[in-house]
Amino acid sequence: MGIHIGTSGWSYDHWQGVLYPPETPVHRRLAYYIQRFQTVELNSSFYRWPKPSTFAGWRQRLPHNFLLTVKAPRGLTHAKRLYAPEVWLDRIKACWHELGEKRAVLLVQLPPNQACDYDRLAYFLDQIPHWLRVAVEFRHPSWQQESIFQLLEQHQTAYCIMSGAHLPCILRATAPFVYVRMHGPDKQHLYGGAYSDNDLHWWADRLHEWASMGKEVFVYFNNDGAGNAVRNAEMLKRFVI
């Protein structure tokens, strides 16, 4: 249990001199990341799902008590749109086993043009084993309804709380854990800007409230430009302690 704060991804060229020293080789970036954070949200898996051996390698490389969240592949979420998910879920479960005690949450991000489909979501959630924690990020506004929140609660699946331009920030906890994605404070552009200290103090209060309810909390900053995610994540950690 606890509050886990990190960033969405760990390898960005523009984080040179922010998270890692200038000219750091790509294969050394994770080593610097784990010195400062104990969780990360892997986003590259959305574009190309890693092999089981890659997950086994992360289990060996990541330190004790480090938790890896993984974004579900776009083949499942954007190509299939959760339709007939069994093949993809079999691949995901095999890799999740390899990750062992380092696994955190599987993030399922639905496309912004996918409108609410209760039956399809219900079928998908029925296929997920109880030991696989899942958070769902809904980008189309039609999903924001009580029946969907109740469905998530029935399956102990987290509604992904979002902070970002043109996204509704609904503070709804539907699982034993809370999942938050910080897409940046810019009102017009996703992933833009740096959160102010006042913003982060406000979020720290929310995290403490959820933790006091016995919820485990995961927060990932996705405003990676200029290293804002790194600075904001570290500042929020200070405010939470």
Side-chain angles (χ1 to χ4, degrees):
M1 302 299 287
I3 298 173
H4 313 282
I5 300 170
T7 64
S8 298
W10 67 75
S11 182
Y12 298 96
D13 291 343
H14 50 278
W15 286 8
Q16 301 276 7
V18 179
L19 181 62
Y20 14 80
E23 309 304 326
T24 298
V26 172
H27 71 274
R28 289 286 300 155
R29 291 175 178 176
L30 180 58
Y32 284 99
Y33 183 92
I34 63 179
Q35 292 176 24
R36 292 161 70 172
F37 299 102
Q38 290 185 302
T39 190
V40 73
E41 180 188 84
L42 178 71
N43 278 327
S44 61
S45 52
F46 175 76
Y47 302 99
R48 184 176 181 179
W49 186 253
K51 299 177 181 178
S53 59
T54 303
F55 282 88
W58 281 323
R59 183 180 184 179
Q60 296 298 319
R61 292 173 61 195
L62 295 174
H64 179 64
N65 289 334
F66 192 97
L67 293 173
L68 178 66
T69 280
V70 181
K71 190 173 181 180
R74 60 183 174 180
L76 169 66
T77 60
H78 286 54
K80 300 287 285 186
R81 293 173 176 256
L82 303 185
Y83 177 76
E86 288 84 356
V87 172
W88 269 115
L89 284 175
D90 284 345
R91 291 183 64 184
I92 291 169
K93 287 185 288 186
C95 292
W96 223 238
H97 279 300
E98 294 293 340
L99 198 55
E101 73 282 0
K102 306 295 173 62
R103 60 195 182 205
V105 180
L106 177 72
L107 169 65
V108 176
Q109 182 193 76
L110 300 185
N113 62 352
Q114 183 176 358
C116 180
D117 187 331
Y118 181 97
D119 291 339
R120 183 171 296 194
L121 178 64
Y123 182 83
F124 171 72
L125 296 179
D126 280 340
Q127 310 311 307
I128 298 173
H130 67 88
W131 50 266
L132 204 167
R133 290 189 292 190
V134 173
V136 183
E137 184 177 40
F138 302 102
R139 292 293 183 92
H140 194 281
S142 61
W143 291 97
Q144 317 297 334
Q145 53 181 283
E146 191 61 32
S147 62
I148 296 299
F149 294 134
Q150 291 179 2
L151 178 64
L152 295 174
E153 289 174 355
Q154 291 168 15
H155 289 84
Q156 295 193 317
T157 297
Y159 168 78
C160 178
I161 297 168
M162 303 171 288
S163 166
H166 311 299
L167 296 174
C169 186
I170 300 173
L171 305 180
R172 189 66 178 261
T174 60
F177 63 98
V178 175
Y179 197 94
V180 184
R181 298 190 86 203
M182 306 290 282
H183 294 303
D186 191 303
K187 301 299 183 183
Q188 300 301 322
H189 303 95
L190 272 178
Y191 321 119
Y195 289 94
S196 68
D197 284 358
N198 285 339
D199 289 337
L200 296 176
H201 274 298
W202 186 90
W203 279 104
D205 289 342
R206 305 290 80 72
L207 305 189
H208 282 136
E209 289 173 2
W210 287 316
S212 69
M213 296 165 57
K215 306 283 188 182
E216 191 167 10
V217 185
F218 296 87
V219 184
Y220 299 103
F221 285 84
N222 203 16
N223 54 331
D224 62 88
N228 291 324
V230 174
R231 298 186 184 94
N232 284 166
E234 290 195 317
M235 187 60 69
L236 183 60
K237 284 174 60 181
R238 294 179 196 171
F239 293 161
V240 165
I241 295 175

